[in-house]
């Protein structure tokens, strides 16, 4: 049940984000005096609507985003005589740019707000891998595990030795050296322990004290991907670094800006790598292992959101929601029609072209004829539709799962 609730909540979050995207267009268009005919949440048949001033607002049956109808977005759009003076294409370049950027900016603001609220409540995820210090979280036993199943068992078998505990090592102790060899990370300590056996001196920091404890390290048989090996073992687990960092209300502002910058960089990297990851999506559809770095659709993201709620990992749920807002915002600004970025590119092409013509003593050219771009637009729409179909199919037949 919690899984279904998570899927619904995540899908609802996406729908609200897209609806607010369109609201961003509407608010800025109205602020500049453009004629906004309609603003609806959802698609399909109308559930209800009302008119306030010159704009019709309403809700439609299919709650997938929404739309904002601005009169005269291009010179080819039909407008009534009373709408013509306020047609969008007649306004200054910078005003049209602001209106078309407003949707993406809304996504960026939403993503920032989600991250800020995470920073002051549950904490922001630690994205960069951290070196685990050689600090003990707990002591247990040292016992052989010759199969992968035995390796995953937590319980100690009767009679198993407890070298670390017997030598006086305690949770919270920081190991400084093993057999006289300094160690700076848990990985270094583990390698040193596995390579030794018998009575071995462990230099330990405990509070303000530095202790020298002798641990009788036994050799045990342990399963590895390369086969069963005989290694030294003391029976201790590492104190893991927190996966999140929490901030106060003021400190969270700077931390969120920094975190947002990192996410923008990663989003740009994903967009660059997007085309080369599509073949892996096709492979996954036909039974291949699903690469967790392949693109996901709204369906896939919602499924991951559902799993996060089911497991109580709300940090992942909100992080994924913020990430998706940043991705949609950046993607929508790509200079490709019919995306907002494509319309912005056309607007600025007109502006630069007219500036060059003015320098040559020529009159400004007319608006770009979008019919001449219809072929390219249709190709891009078909490619986008094909990619969407592939990712949705992969997310249904071979979805990415948490921990994959």
């Amino acid at each position: 049940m919690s899984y279904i609730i998570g899927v619904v909540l995540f899908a609802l979050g996406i729908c609200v984000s897209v609806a607010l995207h369109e609201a961003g267009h509407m608010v800025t268009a109205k602020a500049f005096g453009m004629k906004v005919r309609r603003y609806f949440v959802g698609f399909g048949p109308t559930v209800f609507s009302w008119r306030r001033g010159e704009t019709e607002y309403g809700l439609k049956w299919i709650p997938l985003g929404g739309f904002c109808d601005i009169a005269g977005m291009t010179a080819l759009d039909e407008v009534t005589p009373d709408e013509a003076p306020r047609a969008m294409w007649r306004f200054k370049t910078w005003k049209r740019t602001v209106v078309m950027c407003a949707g993406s900016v809304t996504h960026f603001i939403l993503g920032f707000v989600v991250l800020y609220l995470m920073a002051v409540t549950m904490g922001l995820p630690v994205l960069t891998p951290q070196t685990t210090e050689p600090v003990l979280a707990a002591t247990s036993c040292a016992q052989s595990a010759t199969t992968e199943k035995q390796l995953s068992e937590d319980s100690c078998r009767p009679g198993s030795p407890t070298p670390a505990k017997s030598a006086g090592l305690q949770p919270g102790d920081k190991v400084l050296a093993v057999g006289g060899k300094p160690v700076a990370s848990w990985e270094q300590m583990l390698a040193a322990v596995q390579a030794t056996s018998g009575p071995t001196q462990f230099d330990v920091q405990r509070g303000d004290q530095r202790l020298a404890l002798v641990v009788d390290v036994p050799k045990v048989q342990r399963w590895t991907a390369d086969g069963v090996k005989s290694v030294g073992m003391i029976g201790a687990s590492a104190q893991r670094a927190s996966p999140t960092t929490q901030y106060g209300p003021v400190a969270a502002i700077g931390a969120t800006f920094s975190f947002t910058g990192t996410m923008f960089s990663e989003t740009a990297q994903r967009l660059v790598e997007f085309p080369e990851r599509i073949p892996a999506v096709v492979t996954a559809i036909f039974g291949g292992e699903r690469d967790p770095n392949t693109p996901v659709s709204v369906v896939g993201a919602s499924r991951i959101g559902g799993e996060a709620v089911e497991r109580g990992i709300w940090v992942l749920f909100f992080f994924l929601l913020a990430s998706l807002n940043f991705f949609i915002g950046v993607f929508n600004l790509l200079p490709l029609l019919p995306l907002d970025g494509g319309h912005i590119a056309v607007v600025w092409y007109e502006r630069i072209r007219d500036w060059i013509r003015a320098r040559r003593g020529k009159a400004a050219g007319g608006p770009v004829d979008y019919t001449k771009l219809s072929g390219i637009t249709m190709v891009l729409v078909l490619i986008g539709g094909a990619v969407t179909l592939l990712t949705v199919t992969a997310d249904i037949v071979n979805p990415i799962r948490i921990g994959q």
Side-chain angles (χ1 to χ4, degrees):
M1 186 62 183
S2 58
Y3 172 77
I4 296 175
I5 292 173
V7 171
V8 172
L9 283 176
F10 196 87
L12 183 60
I14 296 173
C15 292
V16 170
S17 297
V18 178
L20 290 176
H21 169 114
E22 297 299 329
H25 291 314
M26 178 189 68
V27 170
T28 50
K30 281 180 170 289
F32 290 133
M34 300 174 189
K35 171 70 178 293
V36 179
R37 297 165 177 154
R38 296 181 298 164
Y39 172 75
F40 274 74
V41 175
F43 295 99
T46 300
V47 179
F48 62 83
S49 67
W50 71 93
R51 180 170 292 277
R52 183 175 180 180
E54 62 185 12
T55 305
E56 181 185 8
Y57 303 86
L59 176 69
K60 292 184 175 289
W61 277 108
I62 305 175
L64 298 176
F67 65 90
C68 174
D69 180 13
I70 304 174
M73 186 172 179
T74 73
L76 296 179
D77 295 345
E78 292 186 6
V79 293
T80 61
D82 65 301
E83 293 174 336
R86 299 170 59 200
M88 182 175 174
W89 69 270
R90 292 183 179 275
F91 284 72
K92 292 183 178 180
T93 300
W94 72 270
K95 291 184 177 180
R96 286 188 282 166
T97 301
V98 169
V99 172
M100 287 182 283
C101 285
S104 287
V105 171
T106 301
H107 284 298
F108 300 151
I109 293 173
L110 285 172
F112 183 88
V113 170
V114 170
L115 291 178
Y116 176 80
L117 294 176
M118 288 176 62
V120 297
T121 55
M122 58 188 71
L124 292 174
V126 178
L127 297 180
T128 55
Q130 292 184 321
T131 301
T132 304
E133 290 191 326
V135 178
L136 275 64
T139 58
S140 59
C141 59
Q143 59 186 6
S144 297
T146 56
T147 65
E148 187 174 8
K149 181 180 179 181
Q150 288 181 346
L151 194 66
S152 63
E153 293 177 354
D154 294 329
S155 59
C156 290
R157 292 189 288 273
S160 297
T162 56
K165 184 177 181 180
S166 299
L169 283 168
Q170 299 176 7
D173 286 351
K174 181 177 181 179
V175 179
L176 303 177
V178 176
K181 180 180 178 181
V183 292
S185 67
W186 183 267
E187 290 73 21
Q188 289 182 6
M189 191 202 84
L190 188 63
V193 169
Q194 290 180 343
T196 191
S197 64
T200 305
Q201 179 173 313
F202 279 63
D203 295 322
V204 173
Q205 185 76 39
R206 181 181 298 166
D208 296 330
Q209 293 181 301
R210 178 166 177 147
L211 307 174
L213 303 175
V214 177
V215 181
D216 190 5
V217 183
K219 285 286 187 179
V220 298
Q221 300 296 310
R222 302 290 286 183
W223 182 91
T224 69
D226 299 325
V228 177
K229 295 183 178 180
S230 178
V231 298
M233 185 177 181
I234 63 172
S237 58
Q239 188 177 83
R240 300 296 178 183
S242 174
T244 61
T245 304
Q246 193 171 347
Y247 302 87
V250 176
I253 297 174
T256 303
F257 271 113
S258 176
F259 195 88
T260 299
T262 301
M263 291 192 67
F264 270 121
S265 176
E266 293 190 354
T267 298
Q269 183 65 30
R270 289 194 205 103
L271 284 172
V272 171
E273 297 173 350
F274 192 92
E276 65 187 52
R277 295 194 184 279
I278 296 301
V281 176
V282 177
T283 301
I285 292 175
F286 293 98
E289 184 178 353
R290 182 72 185 270
D291 184 347
N293 293 316
T294 51
V296 297
S297 65
V298 173
V299 174
S302 298
R303 293 186 69 157
I304 297 174
E307 283 191 44
V309 172
E310 185 178 35
R311 300 189 185 191
I313 315 175
W314 286 97
V315 169
L316 176 60
F317 179 91
F318 289 110
F319 174 72
L320 187 60
L321 190 60
S323 299
L324 197 60
N325 269 286
F326 287 128
F327 183 84
I328 294 173
V330 173
F331 183 81
N332 193 58
L333 290 177
L334 293 178
L336 305 170
L337 289 171
L339 301 175
D340 289 337
H343 290 287
I344 293 171
V346 171
V347 166
W348 280 97
Y349 163 77
E350 292 176 345
R351 181 72 181 85
I352 295 171
R353 177 204 61 190
D354 291 346
W355 179 81
I356 294 174
R357 289 178 67 89
R359 300 276 291 181
R360 295 178 177 178
K362 297 181 179 181
V368 167
D369 185 354
Y370 274 77
T371 58
K372 294 180 180 179
L373 302 174
S374 59
I376 298 175
T377 303
M378 185 56 66
V379 170
L380 293 174
V381 169
L382 290 175
I383 293 175
V387 170
T388 300
L389 181 61
L390 285 174
T391 53
V392 169
T393 302
D395 290 333
I396 292 174
V397 302
N398 193 356
I400 294 173
R401 301 186 182 280
I402 294 177
Q404 186 171 356

